[in-house]
Amino acid sequence: MLAVLHLTEPRVDGLERLSELEWRKALEFADRARLTLSFRDRARDSVPPAVRERLDRNAAGNLKRLAKMEKHYGWLAARLHQDGIEFVGLKGLTHCALFGLPAENRVQYDVDLFCPRETVHRANAALVSEGYAPAEGMEKFPTDHLPVLVLAKKFEWHGDYFDPELPTAVELHFQFWNERQERLPAPRVEEFWDRRTTRQIAGVEWGVLSAPDALAYACLHALKHVLRGSVNHFHIYEIACMLSVKSEDTLFWNEWRAVHSPELRRLESVVFRLAREWFGCAIPHGEPLPEATEAWFAEFAVSPAAVTFDSNKDELWLHASLLTSRRDFWVVARRRLLPGNLPPRGAAAVTPANINWRLAYARRFAARARHHAISLPKTAASGARWWWKTNSLGEQFWIFLGAAVVFNFANFVFVLLYNLYLIDLGFREDFLGVVNGAARLGSLAGTLPAAWVAHRFGLRKAFLAAIAAIAVDTAARALFTGKASLVGLAFAGGCMFSLWAVIMAPLIASAVGESRRPAAFSVFFGTMFSTGILGNWLGGRLPLWLHGKQPVLLWSAAAIALAILPALRFRPAPMARAHTRIYPRSRFLAMFLIPFALWHLATGAFNPLNNVYFARLHFSVERIGSLFSITQLVQVVAVLAAPLILRKAGLVGGIVWMMAATAMGLLGLAAQPSAAAAALAYTAYMAFQWMSEPGLNTLLMNQVDERERSGASSLNYLVAFSAQAVAAFAAGALVSRMGYGVVLGGAAALAVAAAALFQLLLKPAPQSRSLAAPAPENARS
């Protein structure tokens, strides 16, 4: 049925394969969905003769109903105007001129009117005086209209949805949206009344909503029924038709955007998306949907349409994806999963004359009970799927992570042993400071070109090039041991490593959405530290197994090259090409980089010499590897806990707290305590230092345009590597003269200064959105 009514690619080829039983079920569905007449309009010449005859009979019956409905419209307008009651018509015939659907293809069973609260009861009294009465059992249900009014007359139901004698109900609405009931805000919908206009309906001047507001109300009404599991397919279809009719109407969409709040436009856009998924219409304009809502559409877009044949309550998770309060979710979930009300007696009001209404009600009750019993376990399963889809970091992230694990595992082994290898060759800390400083200078020199490479050739090619180049340099550094070679290769390695460092954050950002980035960065760093546990443990033992440090360094180069295999499968989202500027310019970035520079001066003073520090405390290589493994195990826990702290304290507050704790760890190391106490201080220092990384990367990536992320990352690492280069040269020279205590005490003071400046400079700046709620689009700096 949906394929036949598809607006861009209608398909009728499957109709000839339907059996007689399938035709009966299809037409029963079409009748309940109010799509029969539209189906006839699209497929009359493609159906069997018996079906064509039935559809023609339905169309003829509806024409008689339409004539009566038009008279009813005229009578209602005259009766309410007689009492001086202003109103606007909602839905029904008032949509024909706007939505692109002829009146003869619309089957209508009630008339919806809106009156302000101060006059709606007068309108109700006027109709009651003419013989209308509330439908039995409906008055207790909270809604946005008064109890449904029907004329008290006998009617015998014959199973014909197009019977001209079917009674017509009237609904008097007093609000356009019940925010308290639906738990979703739609600000300024009351302004619909102020923008009302008039139009000829059935030859009578009627008050109607303006065109943008008519679309908005149609969407709100359709969404309400979707979220309550009582979707009317025709409502979605007519919205799809209007979107097609208005697709090129720029003035309409400009007005739509001007008069509707972002929250309202987002609710409308949910229905636009349903219309596209079900009926293939274009969406000319709309608001970006939350990531959780996008995840729902990826899994369950057609579930509400198929509920007739497949009992489900998947719409609960659509509702959940739009809510911002956990309390609201539990209210909605209880209402949908455990309804507290019995079906209204009005549900059995239209029954065959030979069936007692109580029996019809019992059947209705049994059908609803069966629906709830079947749908509950299925809803739990679909909720788990939606939760996983919403919280999953995506296939591309895991591919990237796989390549990063192989790369960093080998790199951990290399970093653990390289300084110790140079010490074995007879070099001292002052030359190690030169080598490490050269590496930092290389990173510094390569940082700005790295952004250009990523922008010019794309993230994927830059990713592959970084792995290959670092593998070659790693092998060369193990083979060539002259002073000039060691310094030159360290510089070249730094240049190549800068490309890896610069593209790391943009690669993760390209693989996951904004709301999942804190978790993605946390998982990334946590996994890297987990990899380091094994890398450091194994690195401490490989020299014994491979008979020396140099064979292990060559093994590391080969292992780094293996990371190319998973990297070949990585397909990051392409960067926009219409944007020529690579490096962002913003107040935020300047305020971010000032304390960031101090932070890396502090940590860069110790990190290059951490293994030598413990060697001077008479730790064996094996013991250093074990300590580093244990430390990284603690770092895994710390980094995975980082999103919780950032959620509570905010990005800036959490980062400041972590920086201050890192400074305390540096002070503990500066005291040069016993071996056990030094190991404990080092573990705390490393844990808090790296705990800040998910927050720092998330804050930076969220605050810059996606097309400038590589440039922002480049500037970020330009500052980091500059500070680290200065720190490495200075620390290497100063430790040789003054010892570790003075140098690490000064580093702790710099870390405290960085935390203070971070709090001072960035606290007033706009922060990224709450981590608790998915965000529809990237924040802009």
Side-chain angles (χ1 to χ4, degrees):
M1 188 65 63
L2 300 186
V4 170
L5 295 174
H6 200 278
L7 295 176
T8 54
E9 297 179 3
R11 299 187 304 277
V12 298
D13 51 299
L15 296 179
E16 70 273 7
R17 297 193 297 270
L18 296 183
S19 66
E20 183 178 346
L21 176 61
E22 288 170 332
W23 268 114
R24 186 166 71 248
K25 289 183 176 180
L27 293 175
E28 287 174 356
F29 164 76
D31 290 344
R32 289 191 296 272
R34 303 190 191 182
L35 294 174
T36 303
L37 301 177
S38 297
F39 174 78
R40 172 184 178 271
D41 192 47
R42 293 293 193 93
R44 183 180 181 276
D45 296 333
S46 303
V47 302
V51 175
R52 186 182 309 121
E53 180 183 348
R54 198 265 213 189
L55 295 175
D56 290 344
R57 185 170 64 251
N58 296 155
N62 193 62
L63 284 175
K64 294 178 182 178
R65 280 188 54 76
L66 176 61
K68 288 189 173 185
M69 184 67 70
E70 289 177 341
K71 290 181 180 178
H72 193 53
Y73 265 68
W75 178 85
L76 281 171
R79 181 64 187 84
L80 295 178
H81 287 154
Q82 176 184 326
D83 285 5
I85 299 171
E86 286 193 86
F87 65 91
V88 293
L90 306 173
K91 305 183 298 174
L93 293 180
T94 66
H95 279 182
C96 293
L98 291 174
F99 285 67
L101 279 170
E104 56 268 23
N105 282 357
R106 177 185 300 275
V107 58
Q108 186 173 342
Y109 300 111
D110 55 12
V111 179
D112 293 86
L113 307 175
F114 175 87
C115 299
R117 289 178 183 270
E118 57 268 21
T119 60
V120 69
H121 289 288
R122 285 178 54 208
N124 189 76
L127 295 181
V128 168
S129 70
E130 299 292 342
Y132 279 88
E136 188 175 9
M138 300 293 285
E139 58 276 348
K140 293 182 180 178
F141 280 68
T143 182
D144 51 10
H145 58 75
L146 298 181
V148 179
L149 296 174
V150 293
L151 279 172
K153 70 172 186 178
K154 291 185 178 180
F155 171 74
E156 188 172 325
W157 169 247
H158 298 289
D160 183 2
Y161 286 85
F162 307 91
D163 189 339
E165 301 304 318
L166 272 170
T168 300
V170 177
E171 290 184 4
L172 293 172
H173 295 251
F174 53 85
Q175 59 184 0
F176 295 108
W177 179 250
N178 191 332
E179 179 178 332
R180 181 175 178 273
Q181 185 72 9
E182 311 305 336
R183 306 283 168 157
L184 295 172
R188 307 205 313 265
V189 291
E190 64 279 357
E191 295 175 7
F192 290 0
W193 176 253
D194 301 326
R195 292 191 291 266
R196 67 190 184 279
T197 183
T198 59
R199 190 181 304 122
Q200 285 281 324
I201 307 294
V204 179
E205 196 74 12
W206 263 57
V208 294
L209 298 178
S210 69
D213 294 344
L215 175 61
Y217 181 75
C219 289
L220 290 175
H221 182 260
L223 181 62
K224 176 180 72 174
H225 283 284
V226 167
L227 297 181
R228 295 188 180 192
S230 57
V231 63
N232 186 315
H233 300 71
F234 179 78
H235 291 161
I236 306 295
Y237 180 64
E238 70 171 352
I239 290 168
C241 291
M242 185 174 186
L243 292 175
S244 295
V245 168
K246 296 291 186 182
S247 61
E248 304 296 330
D249 191 340
T250 304
L251 291 177
F252 171 84
W253 291 108
N254 287 343
E255 183 183 2
W256 175 83
R257 185 166 291 279
V259 299
H260 293 167
S261 66
E263 295 89 344
L264 174 57
R265 295 198 303 266
R266 184 158 298 150
L267 296 181
E268 293 178 72
S269 297
V270 172
V271 183
F272 294 173
R273 183 68 178 275
L274 283 171
R276 187 181 76 183
E277 297 289 344
W278 295 6
F279 299 107
C281 66
I283 303 179
H285 291 273
E287 288 292 299
L289 298 180
E291 290 174 29
T293 307
E294 291 286 357
W296 184 89
F297 274 104
E299 289 288 325
F300 308 111
V302 187
S303 289
V307 70
T308 304
F309 307 103
D310 179 25
S311 292
N312 70 79
K313 296 185 180 183
D314 294 339
E315 72 281 349
L316 170 62
W317 310 117
L318 172 61
H319 206 155
S321 75
L322 298 168
L323 296 170
T324 57
S325 163
R326 194 167 293 178
R327 179 177 178 274
D328 287 342
F329 168 73
W330 290 116
V331 171
V332 169
R334 187 210 59 77
R335 187 175 67 203
R336 290 296 299 124
L337 298 177
L338 301 170
N341 297 310
L342 296 175
R345 292 175 63 180
V350 179
T351 59
N354 61 340
I355 297 180
N356 183 277
W357 77 265
R358 291 182 176 83
L359 179 58
Y361 181 84
R363 288 179 176 176
R364 169 71 173 169
F365 179 85
R368 296 308 299 164
R370 178 178 179 275
H371 167 71
H372 290 303
I374 292 174
S375 60
L376 277 174
K378 294 174 68 175
T379 302
S382 65
R385 285 167 56 200
W386 170 74
W387 183 90
W388 172 251
K389 188 81 173 179
T390 301
N391 292 277
S392 172
L393 299 176
E395 180 185 9
Q396 290 302 307
F397 173 80
W398 296 113
I399 291 173
F400 165 76
L401 190 65
V405 164
V406 176
F407 175 89
N408 280 296
F409 173 77
N411 202 51
F412 273 117
V413 174
F414 178 84
V415 171
L416 173 70
L417 296 177
Y418 188 64
N419 279 349
L420 302 177
Y421 173 63
L422 296 183
I423 290 289
D424 287 349
L425 294 177
F427 298 108
R428 293 178 56 81
E429 279 91 344
D430 53 353
F431 182 71
L432 267 60
V434 172
V435 171
N436 283 288
R440 295 299 181 269
L441 283 177
S443 298
L444 180 62
T447 296
L448 292 179
W452 179 86
V453 169
H455 188 82
R456 174 66 178 82
F457 298 102
L459 288 172
R460 182 173 182 271
K461 290 181 179 178
F463 187 28
L464 294 170
I467 295 172
I470 292 170
V472 172
D473 182 77
T474 299
R477 294 176 75 178
L479 293 172
F480 303 101
T481 58
K483 281 191 174 184
S485 298
L486 290 173
V487 174
L489 288 170
F491 180 85
C495 288
M496 298 164 192
F497 192 82
S498 66
L499 181 58
W500 166 270
V502 164
I503 64 175
M504 180 271 293
L507 284 168
I508 294 175
S510 74
V512 297
E514 181 179 331
S515 69
R516 301 302 302 150
R517 282 179 200 144
F521 282 113
S522 179
V523 169
F524 171 76
F525 286 111
T527 304
M528 292 307 99
F529 298 141
S530 298
T531 304
I533 295 170
L534 180 59
N536 284 311
W537 180 86
L538 191 61
R541 288 156 178 78
L542 279 174
L544 298 175
W545 301 343
L546 298 181
H547 309 293
K549 296 184 179 69
Q550 187 183 50
V552 179
L553 298 178
L554 292 172
W555 174 91
S556 299
I560 288 172
L562 287 176
I564 291 177
L565 296 179
L568 287 170
R569 298 180 55 215
F570 185 64
R571 296 290 187 276
M575 293 186 295
R577 293 294 180 189
H579 191 71
T580 57
R581 194 172 73 192
I582 300 175
Y583 305 103
R585 303 169 189 170
S586 68
R587 179 186 180 277
F588 161 79
L589 193 60
M591 297 301 100
F592 178 89
L593 293 178
I594 292 171
F596 191 71
L598 288 180
W599 173 244
H600 280 280
L601 281 174
T603 58
F606 178 66
N607 290 352
L609 301 173
N610 54 2
N611 47 5
V612 180
Y613 174 91
F614 285 102
R616 297 305 185 197
L617 291 179
H618 308 294
F619 279 59
S620 66
V621 174
E622 185 176 353
R623 192 178 176 191
I624 292 173
S626 298
L627 171 62
F628 284 14
S629 293
I630 294 170
T631 297
Q632 283 170 328
L633 177 61
V634 176
Q635 286 173 254
V636 171
V637 177
V639 168
L640 293 179
L644 299 177
I645 296 173
L646 297 172
R647 189 189 302 270
K648 294 292 184 183
L651 285 176
V652 173
I655 291 167
V656 168
W657 181 85
M658 295 166 193
M659 285 181 170
T662 303
M664 297 302 295
L666 279 170
L667 282 176
L669 291 167
Q672 299 182 70
S674 64
L680 183 61
Y682 176 72
T683 300
Y685 161 73
M686 293 297 290
F688 289 119
Q689 175 192 342
W690 286 99
M691 185 186 251
S692 68
E693 286 297 313
L696 289 167
N697 281 278
T698 298
L699 183 61
L700 180 62
M701 290 295 103
N702 285 359
Q703 293 289 348
V704 298
D705 189 288
E706 64 178 317
R707 296 164 295 186
E708 297 175 344
R709 285 179 187 151
S710 294
S713 182
S714 175
L715 295 175
N716 182 55
Y717 280 104
L718 177 68
V719 170
F721 291 149
S722 298
Q724 288 170 7
V726 171
F729 278 116
L734 291 174
V735 165
S736 296
R737 293 174 175 83
M738 306 172 67
Y740 282 99
V742 174
V743 173
L744 296 184
L750 287 173
V752 171
L757 274 178
F758 219 96
Q759 176 75 21
L760 177 67
L761 296 178
L762 287 179
K763 191 64 174 179
Q767 298 180 29
S768 64
R769 298 176 182 85
S770 167
L771 306 183
E777 59 185 349
N778 296 333
R780 296 291 182 253
S781 58

